Amino acid sequence: MLIFKIALPVPLAQTFDYRLDSIAISPVVGARVRIPFGNRKAIGIVTGISTTSILPYEKLKSIEAILDGQGLFPIKLWHILCWAADYYHYPIGEVLFHALPILLRQGKPALFMPLYQWVITEQGKAIPLENLKSAPKQQRALAVLLQQPLYHYQTNEMGLTSTVLKSLRNKKLIKMCKQDKINTNWHYQFLCTGKRLQLNNEQAAAVEAISHENQHFVAWLLSGVTGSGKTEVYLSILENILSQGRQALILVPEISLTPQTIARFRERFNVPIAVLHSALNNSERLLVWLRARNGEVAIVIGTRSALFTPFSQLGGIIIDEEHDNSYKQQDGWRYHARDLAIFRAREENIPIVMGSATPALETLYNVQLGKYRQLTLSKRAGNATVANHYLIDIKGLYLKVGLSKPLLEQIQNHLKAKNQVMLFLNRRGYAPALLCHKCGWIAECQRCDHYYTLHQNQQHLRCHYCDNQRLIMIQCPECNSTNLLSVGIGTEQLENNLRPLFPNTPITRIDRDTTNRKGSLEKYLNDINQGGARILIGTQMLAKGHHFPDVTLVALLDVDGALFSANFRSSESFAQLYIQVSGRAGRSGKQGEVFLQTHYPEHPVLQILLQQGYLAFAKQTLIERQSAFLPPYTSHIIVRSEDHDNQQSMLFLQQLRYLLELNSLKDDMLWIMGPIMALQAKRSGRFRWQLLIQHPSRYRLQQLVSYLQPLIVKLPLAKKVKWALDVDPIDN
């Protein structure tokens, strides 16, 4: 009388017992089953098989169907997910289902589905491209399809829209064809077809060191100044992995920000490369999952969730920009993809390479402990030069659209030389606030207690926390005055006001508002790479991984707020951002210059960054963290709680603190702070509170929370508030 432990995607830290009545074949661990759950049918995953249950056998419900003949997860990936559920104190069912494509969560078969390609017809091959010059988008699409057929997801990567493709189909120039067989023999046909760049001594030494120990687990930190050629090192490492018939996983912070890098991978390797991004439909995501598990894909590139892709023979993991905060999931299962990737590499006994010009302090700390090995690229690759850095003290200076006169003169000089200028302003929209000049009223989102951002071009106010929108009002709701003024400067306003100042210079703005349409980012990047004088305006989207050979001037505007944040990680984040943004200047032999406007040129963070660089800043900051008993020298777990009345969350966390104070596992090294309101006290109509638990020993902290978790669930207010555990938080 076997009893099957079934995990379900429900917010309960338990599995459910079921029996098996009429089905002859028994499900295995990791397989999906269909079961009755309450008054509905549900898909569950078998996590264990037992002979005992807390309920009598005859009272157990029966499994209705077995959906898989084998477990869906390779054994090592299964161990990783089970460990992660324990470490992050998150329900095992939610974790397992998070790691599956949506169609498998819905109970669809784990089988290959037919795919369709856009292909050119004989009529399309015969028509001269000049005949479509009146429809340039159709002309470009036909030119692309003349080179190769394209799957749906590839058309999005190429910036081709369905409207354009359908227009060509209506003209009988292209058609959609079913593809039954995909070439899977890359292991035997592996070729490096693209151009190799000559490695310098540091790059060659890094490749040699990593390749020499590629048969077992080693965690490598590839620390290199911006423009030092980390991508070329990645490519050389991958060549070694692929030549052995093994697969590779590459994690990137945001897939939309790396089209240039992905293009280099496709040019270099004649192998199947799968890119996991938002343009894929559910069938295509399932196809990538199945092909990777079967060994039919050589390289998978994706954001944090790509970490859970199963592989037939994984040979290495690369994490680009390992310091980036987007690797940390900020809601639901709050895992950190970098940390889990390191754990996966250890389980798979393969090397992992973490690349960054500005490594996270936790990563540098692990280098100090000897857990990771550091390789340094101290020189820019090729003929790129180190940019000169300058501070502009703007105290008392007149600012025109946020730009000082010295900076405007520098912009003019660089544009005259037919070079490009990048202006970094990490605030999208027209202005961060709208106020009444008569009474001082400020337009505020009532759901978040945060100021609305003015979007002048779209004629609305928008909250950048909950995305709530409203039309721009004509009168002040407090005093009825019509004298409403915008306060502060956003990228939209900067663009609008620079056009009359530089009427003959093209201006490209890159932020979330201008790149929300598919293919738009690629178009902007192509325009920039055409060369010639141009002004680039953007947010963090411009700071990550882009190579702009003609950018010789980078200016950072309005960053003083980051120097005085209440979050102890803010100086680290600012330093990383400054180095990443300034690294866009002078990447192709032209001398680059970086200007930072500030009211506080004497600030110690700015001084150490400009005079000694990021690694010196990191060393100093680690000393400060150690003296203040902050991570990475201590471990944090935050209990976050939200409610609608701003009362029950605080009371719930007070009850939890009382449990902690009385617990026998509490010692003198345990530090508890709170309950206190979160830095952003209200979001989406919920008031937010938190309780911080700190201990020098990660093991002791985990032990304490594991013991407490069943007691937390039983607290009277636990079901009246929305609460969650955040292990190793980055947003304190």
Side-chain angles (χ1 to χ4, degrees):
M1 296 196 304
L2 297 179
I3 296 166
F4 297 88
K5 308 290 182 180
I6 310 295
L8 293 165
V10 294
L12 298 172
Q14 67 178 90
T15 57
F16 300 88
D17 292 349
Y18 283 81
R19 68 186 189 190
L20 189 65
D21 287 342
S22 57
I23 303 176
I25 302 174
S26 177
V28 299
V29 171
R32 294 170 302 155
V33 293
R34 182 176 290 107
I35 54 174
F37 186 71
N39 58 0
R40 62 184 177 91
K41 307 297 181 186
I43 305 298
I45 296 173
V46 179
T47 61
I49 303 173
S50 177
T51 57
T52 60
S53 174
I54 59 173
L55 294 175
Y57 184 81
E58 60 275 7
K59 290 191 176 181
L60 296 177
K61 293 182 179 179
S62 178
I63 294 172
E64 293 185 353
I66 300 172
L67 303 184
D68 304 301
Q70 61 181 357
L72 293 180
F73 307 91
I75 187 66
K76 291 177 181 177
L77 181 55
W78 177 264
H79 289 159
I80 293 162
L81 293 170
C82 291
W83 178 87
D86 288 338
Y87 181 79
Y88 290 102
H89 304 282
Y90 206 69
I92 182 63
E94 299 265 36
V95 169
L96 293 176
F97 275 81
H98 181 95
L100 290 177
I102 290 176
L103 290 182
L104 295 186
R105 300 179 207 173
Q106 298 171 348
K108 304 296 184 185
L111 300 172
F112 287 97
M113 307 294 286
L115 277 185
Y116 294 86
Q117 280 185 320
W118 287 105
V119 299
I120 196 162
T121 63
E122 292 300 323
Q123 185 175 338
K125 293 176 183 177
I127 186 175
L129 288 175
E130 291 76 15
N131 289 11
L132 293 173
K133 63 181 180 181
S134 61
K137 292 182 180 180
Q138 294 181 29
Q139 186 183 49
R140 177 175 174 271
L142 192 64
V144 170
L145 287 166
L146 275 168
Q147 302 298 318
Q148 62 177 12
L150 294 177
Y151 292 104
H152 165 74
Y153 64 90
Q154 292 175 314
T155 63
N156 285 285
E157 290 177 16
M158 297 286 187
L160 307 180
T161 65
S162 57
T163 303
V164 170
L165 294 169
K166 289 176 181 176
S167 297
L168 289 174
R169 182 174 60 181
N170 293 339
K171 295 177 180 178
K172 302 187 185 306
L173 301 180
I174 65 172
K175 62 182 178 180
M176 185 77 81
C177 290
K178 181 179 177 182
Q179 294 296 313
D180 295 318
K181 183 172 179 55
I182 299 174
N183 181 21
T184 60
N185 295 323
W186 68 269
H187 311 77
Y188 312 106
Q189 302 171 354
F190 170 68
L191 290 173
C192 281
T193 55
K195 176 184 176 183
R196 289 186 182 88
L197 300 179
Q198 181 68 39
L199 299 179
N200 61 33
N201 291 338
E202 289 181 332
Q203 290 173 313
V207 172
E208 174 65 23
I210 296 169
S211 299
H212 184 68
E213 300 195 54
N214 67 356
Q215 298 297 323
H216 57 90
F217 169 70
V218 180
W220 298 97
L221 169 62
L222 184 63
S223 172
V225 298
T226 53
S228 58
K230 289 186 290 294
T231 301
E232 192 62 31
V233 174
Y234 297 158
L235 291 166
S236 298
I237 295 167
L238 286 172
E239 183 176 343
N240 183 52
I241 293 172
L242 298 174
S243 65
Q244 301 171 34
R246 299 192 294 166
Q247 300 162 282
L249 169 64
I250 302 171
L251 295 182
V252 293
E254 295 182 58
I255 207 72
S256 63
L257 304 185
T258 54
Q260 294 170 324
T261 302
I262 293 170
R264 287 184 66 182
F265 280 69
R266 293 195 186 280
E267 290 169 4
R268 176 69 69 89
F269 301 119
N270 182 31
V271 296
I273 298 176
V275 183
L276 288 170
H277 52 72
S278 58
L280 296 184
N281 60 37
N282 291 338
S283 297
E284 290 161 346
R285 287 181 180 276
L286 176 58
L287 177 69
V288 172
W289 190 91
L290 290 169
R291 294 187 67 201
R293 188 179 67 163
N294 290 357
E296 299 173 9
V297 169
I299 300 173
V300 172
I301 305 173
T303 50
R304 58 176 178 262
S305 62
L307 172 64
F308 308 115
T309 304
F311 289 89
S312 171
Q313 193 175 7
L314 186 59
I317 300 174
I318 293 173
I319 306 180
D320 192 32
E321 308 294 358
E322 63 84 28
H323 68 276
D324 200 284
N325 285 343
S326 62
Y327 286 121
K328 170 74 172 179
Q329 176 76 26
Q330 294 290 8
D331 52 26
W333 176 27
R334 298 168 189 255
Y335 67 92
H336 201 301
R338 180 196 62 216
D339 299 344
L340 272 186
I342 294 167
F343 185 81
R344 179 168 190 178
R346 189 174 69 180
E347 285 290 298
E348 303 268 7
N349 197 27
I350 58 174
I352 180 169
V353 179
M354 298 168 280
S356 176
T358 54
L361 295 189
E362 286 81 3
T363 302
L364 292 172
Y365 176 65
N366 279 314
V367 170
Q368 291 181 8
L369 295 179
K371 294 181 178 180
Y372 305 165
R373 302 188 202 177
Q374 184 172 359
L375 299 166
T376 302
L377 305 178
S378 60
K379 302 176 182 177
R380 286 194 148 187
N383 58 354
T385 58
V386 177
N388 297 321
H389 293 241
Y390 307 95
L391 294 177
I392 299 178
D393 186 352
I394 57 175
K395 290 193 296 289
L397 295 184
Y398 171 73
L399 300 181
K400 193 168 188 176
V401 205
L403 305 174
S404 62
K405 183 178 179 181
L407 181 56
L408 283 169
E409 291 173 351
Q410 290 295 332
I411 293 173
Q412 190 70 57
N413 292 337
H414 281 260
L415 293 176
K416 283 181 179 178
K418 304 300 181 183
N419 292 320
Q420 296 179 346
V421 172
M422 178 188 293
L423 303 179
F424 174 80
L425 179 60
N426 205 25
R427 186 184 298 120
R428 62 191 175 98
Y430 187 85
L434 181 71
L435 66 76
C436 175
H437 186 58
K438 182 177 180 181
C439 71
W441 169 87
I442 302 178
E444 188 175 32
C445 174
Q446 298 303 310
R447 301 179 71 234
C448 294
D449 283 347
H450 191 272
Y451 299 145
Y452 278 116
T453 297
L454 172 63
H455 288 258
Q456 187 75 49
N457 293 352
Q458 297 170 313
Q459 285 295 298
H460 68 231
L461 300 170
R462 184 189 307 165
C463 174
H464 286 178
Y465 285 96
C466 69
D467 208 36
N468 184 34
Q469 299 180 21
R470 61 170 297 174
L471 294 175
I472 300 174
M473 60 282 296
I474 300 175
Q475 291 181 304
C476 170
E478 295 291 330
C479 69
N480 295 325
S481 169
T482 58
N483 195 0
L484 301 179
L485 305 176
S486 62
V487 180
I489 299 172
T491 53
E492 181 185 315
Q493 183 178 169
L494 184 60
E495 178 189 20
N496 292 353
N497 286 276
L498 280 178
R499 291 196 184 281
L501 293 178
F502 302 95
N504 300 317
T505 302
I507 298 177
T508 300
R509 173 164 63 98
I510 295 182
D511 56 27
R512 295 292 178 199
D513 298 321
T514 62
T515 60
N516 53 9
R517 296 183 63 181
K518 292 175 182 176
S520 56
L521 176 60
E522 288 78 4
K523 179 183 180 302
Y524 288 136
L525 296 179
N526 288 334
D527 292 342
I528 294 169
N529 288 321
Q530 295 299 314
R534 183 180 293 267
I535 297 175
L536 318 181
I537 299 172
T539 58
Q540 288 192 56
M541 293 186 71
L542 275 179
K544 302 178 183 179
H546 297 301
H547 176 70
F548 301 127
D550 292 309
V551 169
T552 55
L553 171 63
V554 168
L556 292 87
L557 317 176
D558 199 12
V559 296
D560 285 347
L563 300 174
F564 301 97
S565 171
N567 189 334
F568 72 88
R569 298 182 188 273
S570 63
S571 63
E572 177 187 4
S573 298
F574 168 77
Q576 291 166 341
L577 182 63
Y578 174 77
I579 297 299
Q580 294 288 337
V581 173
S582 62
R584 301 313 108 195
R587 293 173 69 96
S588 290
K590 298 180 180 180
Q591 181 59 55
E593 293 185 315
V594 179
F595 289 84
L596 186 146
Q597 293 188 153
T598 178
H599 289 90
Y600 309 97
E602 70 287 348
H603 195 284
V605 170
L606 296 179
Q607 289 300 317
I608 193 170
L609 280 174
L610 266 68
Q611 295 177 17
Q612 302 178 56
Y614 178 80
L615 291 181
F617 159 82
K619 182 179 180 180
Q620 177 63 38
T621 306
L622 281 172
I623 294 172
E624 294 171 0
R625 295 267 188 98
Q626 185 175 22
S627 63
F629 300 102
L630 289 170
Y633 297 93
T634 56
S635 293
H636 282 178
I637 293 180
I638 290 181
V639 186
R640 304 186 188 275
S641 181
E642 302 177 1
D643 63 27
H644 290 288
D645 61 12
N646 204 21
Q647 295 181 6
Q648 296 183 91
S649 283
M650 181 187 66
L651 295 174
F652 164 71
L653 293 178
Q654 285 178 342
Q655 293 173 355
L656 174 55
R657 176 162 187 156
Y658 182 72
L659 287 178
L660 287 166
E661 298 284 2
L662 295 180
N663 194 276
S664 60
L665 295 173
K666 180 179 180 292
D667 58 26
D668 294 339
M669 303 300 290
L670 183 72
W671 185 64
I672 308 169
M673 186 178 75
I676 60 172
M677 294 205 79
L679 288 178
Q680 192 201 340
K682 187 180 180 184
R683 180 181 292 181
S684 299
R686 292 179 175 271
F687 296 91
R688 308 162 77 229
W689 289 76
Q690 62 188 39
L691 183 73
L692 172 66
I693 314 169
Q694 173 182 293
H695 200 283
S697 168
R698 178 174 277 108
Y699 173 76
R700 291 281 293 176
L701 190 59
Q702 285 282 334
Q703 190 180 33
L704 175 64
V705 174
S706 295
Y707 177 80
L708 280 177
Q709 196 169 11
L711 302 178
I712 298 174
V713 177
K714 296 179 181 179
L715 288 174
L717 293 174
K719 293 184 178 179
K720 297 183 180 180
V721 299
K722 181 182 179 182
W723 66 276
L725 292 172
D726 192 352
V727 179
D728 302 330
I730 62 171
D731 180 14
N732 289 49

